[in-house]
Amino acid sequence: MSSQRLALDAQTALAYVGQTVLVELRWDDEPESFWQCMHILGVVLPMEGVCDLAYFMGLNVSSQLDYPNEVYFSDICTIRVMRHRDRHGSGNVLGRITLPKHARSRAALPARRNSSTVPSNGSTGAAHP
């Protein structure tokens, strides 16, 4: 969890338009930051006398609303583009997940059978071509 806010300029912000991102947000009146997955639909840049703060127009992925919310740059601690998708459709933000290293060998072991024709080590005694 990051406690510093992210500084976004207009060029960097525009690169996020059309992307699905994972955003860490922190509000001053909340003790903890929180994460939100959203589609970035647009950017509103500050204009003197009209709008003082820049923000994204973002649609929360899990929202059933048809209109976007404002996500002010000053509230963003972290933003990451969702780059990969697994077979179930959940996002993998940090790249492909590697499998853990197992201490044991992962070699295939023979089937364990206990019958009069097949010994317990799985060998049938027949030659394999």
Side-chain angles (χ1 to χ4, degrees):
M1 172 173 61
S2 173
S3 61
Q4 292 185 332
R5 309 302 168 125
L6 185 66
L8 288 170
D9 60 6
Q11 185 176 4
T12 304
L14 288 171
Y16 287 106
V17 174
Q19 301 287 333
T20 301
V21 298
L22 187 62
V23 182
E24 179 187 14
L25 300 170
R26 178 178 293 279
W27 294 334
D28 292 334
D29 55 346
E30 294 290 326
E32 296 289 326
S33 65
F34 63 96
W35 292 86
Q36 208 171 34
C37 186
M38 64 178 48
H39 304 292
I40 301 297
L41 305 176
V43 176
V44 176
L45 300 174
M47 183 176 179
E48 189 176 330
V50 178
C51 180
D52 296 332
L53 299 172
Y55 58 90
F56 287 117
M57 296 301 294
L59 187 60
N60 192 334
V61 171
S62 63
S63 175
Q64 296 186 5
L65 301 175
D66 292 335
Y67 54 89
N69 293 315
E70 297 95 357
V71 181
Y72 288 91
F73 292 179
S74 59
D75 295 334
I76 298 173
C77 298
T78 308
I79 184 168
R80 297 181 189 229
V81 175
M82 305 285 283
R83 297 192 189 285
H84 303 289
R85 296 227 176 238
D86 64 17
R87 286 181 276 190
H88 303 291
S90 62
N92 182 356
V93 176
L94 302 177
R96 300 199 187 280
I97 297 174
T98 58
L99 295 174
K101 302 277 187 216
H102 294 289
R104 297 175 21 181
S105 168
R106 300 203 59 176
L109 299 175
R112 187 163 184 93
R113 299 182 184 109
N114 291 320
S115 73
S116 61
T117 58
V118 179
S120 63
N121 70 357
S123 173
T124 60
H128 297 284

